[in-house]
């Protein structure tokens, strides 16, 4: 029984026992002390938030449609915003209709609703290694058995999908994956879609980072090539602001009614005011200027971190250079444990997220995730230098 409910009349449901605190949020708390360079959080740069455009959009919504914006609204979401999502997806190669788009309270809620709709206790759910920790957290209360699919630097290997046969779905992160930063090439996407269709394996594709590309947009979504259709999740958090809590799920017509019922039961609808404000901002054409600015800013930060890693990481560490998104993934020499080293790193003035919690199965303790978007380049250099010293010290001790 959970420590907090011992000696009380409350009896927790089994699913509550399966809820765990987010390791990342716990680390973030520890790093709020002044003087720590936190490369841990996956927070967009606050300097990238379009504050003035939001202010003006709020005023326009309250002037033009105050009663509608403040009233209860449709569970499906605000019509024009759903239509906008359809047009955006069409531009990436994914065909859908507005009737397939459910606006959610962040794509995190979409993951929960998908879990609620598709997972029974003991269902197999296939995931990448590593995968998004928040998805593991969202699915875990529905009591799946996670199956890990072997991956390389592009993501899941099509020839390894056999391990996922019979799973309720394969959860995929093709674009600048959280945590590894990897991006799947066009050929891999087609091969995966084909192999999944051959195995009758449904796909759930999560894409919060696709717009954060640096030199070229990523290839079309895997869902665009999935013969049986796929569930696709998107988010406004990284293109506008996470505080809006706006995301969406695009579902095959056969699934949509159940998804909608799950949404109604969860929160009736996503705040109508936020949806209208977001739409107002988008309608003004802001993204055409805003996104290139965010991409340029994040690319410069990526370059700053790449240079710092080259300079300060001891030999034997491996990183790949992300072509978009927010994260570097570092593999330390075998034998080093990133979780065990974290207190030392925090004492030296830098925080990161150890890689272990991102694995549903056998964890690779010698991995860690660094975010390059939240702190300024000068601090990135300082943080990575501190990390390099801690790692060099650990290697000396281990291999002395
Ligand atoms: C891969 C992935 N999916 C989903 C989410 C949830 O995003 P949001 O709920 O803000 O849309 C995140 C957040 O960082 C993420 O990294």
């Amino acid at each position: 029984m959970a420590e907090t409910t011992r000696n009380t009349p409350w009896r927790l449901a089994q699913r509550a026992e399966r809820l765990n605190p987010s390791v990342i949020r716990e680390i973030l708390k520890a790093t709020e002390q002044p003087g720590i360079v936190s490369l841990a959080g996956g927070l967009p740069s606050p300097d990238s938030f379009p504050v003035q455009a939001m202010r003006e959009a709020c005023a326009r919504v309250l002037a033009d449609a105050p009663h509608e914006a403040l009233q209860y609204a449709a569970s499906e979401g605000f019509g024009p915003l759903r239509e906008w999502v359809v047009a955006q997806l069409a531009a990436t190669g994914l065909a859908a209709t507005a009737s397939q788009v459910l606006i959610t309270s962040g794509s995190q809620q979409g993951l929960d609703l998908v879990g609620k709709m598709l997972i029974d206790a003991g269902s197999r759910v296939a995931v990448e290694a590593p995968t998004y920790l928040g998805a593991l957290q969202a699915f875990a209360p529905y009591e799946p058995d996670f199956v890990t699919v072997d991956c390389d630097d592009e993501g899941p290997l099509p020839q390894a999908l056999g391990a996922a046969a019979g799973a309720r779905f394969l959860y995929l992160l093709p674009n600048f994956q959280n945590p590894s930063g990897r991006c799947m090439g066009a050929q891999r996407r087609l091969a995966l879609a084909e192999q999944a269709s051959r195995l009758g394996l449904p796909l759930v594709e999560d894409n919060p980072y696709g717009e954060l590309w640096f030199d070229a947009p990523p290839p079309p979504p895997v869902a665009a090539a999935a013969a049986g259709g796929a569930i696709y999740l998107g988010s406004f958090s990284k293109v506008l602001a996470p505080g809006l809590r706006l995301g969406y799920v695009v579902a095959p017509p056969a699934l949509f009614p159940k998804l909608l019922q799950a949404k109604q039961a969860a929160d009736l609808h996503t705040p109508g005011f936020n949806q209208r404000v977001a739409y107002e901002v988008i309608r003004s054409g802001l993204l055409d200027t805003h996104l290139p600015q965010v991409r340029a800013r994040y690319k410069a930060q990526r370059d700053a971190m790449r240079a710092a890693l080259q300079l300060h990481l001891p030999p034997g560490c491996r990183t790949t250079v992300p072509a978009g998104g927010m994260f570097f993934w570092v593999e330390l020499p075998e034998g080093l444990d990133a979780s065990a080293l974290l207190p030392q790193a925090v004492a030296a003035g830098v925080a990161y997220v150890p890689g272990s919690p991102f694995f549903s199965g056998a964890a690779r303790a010698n991995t860690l995730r660094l975010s390059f978007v939240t702190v300024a380049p000068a601090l990135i250099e300082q943080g990575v230098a501190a990390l390099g010293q801690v790692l060099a010290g650990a290697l000396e001790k281990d291999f002395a």
Side-chain angles (χ1 to χ4, degrees):
M1 188 186 287
E3 204 46 54
T4 42
T5 52
R6 212 185 289 274
N7 305 324
T8 77
W10 300 107
R11 173 144 182 237
L12 283 176
Q14 279 179 20
R15 100 180 53 82
E17 302 277 9
R18 295 176 74 106
L19 291 170
N20 285 311
S22 160
V23 182
I24 299 180
R25 292 199 174 275
E26 295 302 306
I27 292 172
L28 285 180
K29 267 189 245 160
T31 59
E32 273 160 13
Q33 317 148 33
I36 306 275
V37 177
S38 179
L39 306 174
L43 311 180
S45 166
D47 297 336
S48 75
F49 298 153
V51 177
Q52 184 55 24
M54 287 286 176
R55 201 173 275 135
E56 289 163 13
C58 286
R60 272 204 302 279
V61 167
L62 287 175
D64 296 348
H67 300 112
E68 294 86 340
L70 298 174
Q71 186 54 282
Y72 282 116
S75 301
E76 290 88 341
F78 182 48
L81 194 61
R82 298 170 80 202
E83 294 286 355
W84 179 83
V85 167
V86 168
Q88 286 298 109
L89 294 180
T92 69
L94 183 60
T97 62
S99 63
Q100 292 174 259
V101 178
L102 178 70
I103 303 291
T104 53
S105 301
S107 54
Q108 188 67 29
Q109 182 185 46
L111 292 169
D112 177 55
L113 299 180
V114 166
K116 198 181 263 182
M117 185 176 57
L118 294 178
I119 305 173
D120 285 314
S123 306
R124 282 152 60 84
V125 168
V127 295
E128 301 181 22
T131 188
Y132 170 50
L133 170 62
L136 294 177
Q137 282 186 303
F139 300 150
Y142 303 110
E143 305 182 45
D145 286 338
F146 287 113
V147 185
T148 301
V149 176
D150 286 345
C151 295
D152 65 8
D153 285 346
E154 280 195 64
L157 295 159
Q159 63 272 27
L161 277 201
R168 291 289 167 98
F169 59 86
L170 166 63
Y171 172 64
L172 277 180
L173 299 144
N175 293 334
F176 320 124
Q177 200 228 34
N178 180 6
S180 69
R182 69 190 171 205
C183 188
M184 210 182 273
Q187 289 309 321
R188 174 66 60 88
R189 290 173 197 236
L190 294 176
L192 266 184
E194 203 174 293
Q195 183 64 355
S197 140
R198 201 172 295 139
L199 293 168
L201 177 65
L203 301 177
V204 173
E205 179 169 359
D206 187 10
N207 178 30
Y209 301 103
E211 288 294 342
L212 303 182
W213 48 266
F214 301 149
D215 297 314
V222 181
I231 292 178
Y232 180 93
L233 296 102
S235 173
F236 292 86
S237 293
K238 312 301 188 305
V239 293
L240 277 180
L244 288 167
R245 306 309 304 129
L246 286 179
Y248 54 88
V249 183
V250 185
L255 290 181
F256 193 86
K258 283 293 163 207
L259 196 61
L260 182 61
Q261 287 156 26
K263 169 72 180 167
Q264 278 166 351
D267 63 355
L268 302 181
H269 64 81
T270 293
F273 180 71
N274 296 15
Q275 295 186 64
R276 284 169 185 265
V277 168
Y279 179 67
E280 198 58 36
V281 167
I282 288 164
R283 196 165 70 101
S284 72
L286 174 100
L287 289 185
D288 296 342
T289 49
H290 179 64
L291 279 176
Q293 282 166 9
V294 176
R295 289 177 193 132
R297 170 191 289 274
Y298 285 4
K299 184 179 175 182
Q301 306 240 144
R302 188 270 321 255
D303 289 344
M305 185 169 275
R306 174 168 55 179
L309 289 169
Q310 272 167 358
L311 196 61
H312 297 293
L313 281 192
C317 296
R318 177 179 182 264
T319 60
T320 50
V321 179
M326 305 185 1
F327 306 112
F328 269 91
W329 181 246
V330 183
E331 291 179 26
L332 309 177
E334 288 296 339
L336 289 192
D337 180 336
S339 302
L341 288 171
L342 184 60
Q344 256 167 275
V346 171
V350 62
Y352 55 79
V353 182
S356 294
F358 296 97
F359 293 87
S360 69
R364 298 188 50 207
N366 64 324
T367 54
L368 59 91
R369 189 194 76 178
L370 301 174
S371 162
F372 53 83
V373 301
T374 320
V375 305
L379 284 178
I380 288 179
E381 159 81 26
Q382 186 186 319
V384 172
L387 175 63
Q389 276 184 2
V390 170
L391 295 177
L395 278 170
E396 244 168 59
K397 216 187 300 157
D398 261 35
F399 300 109

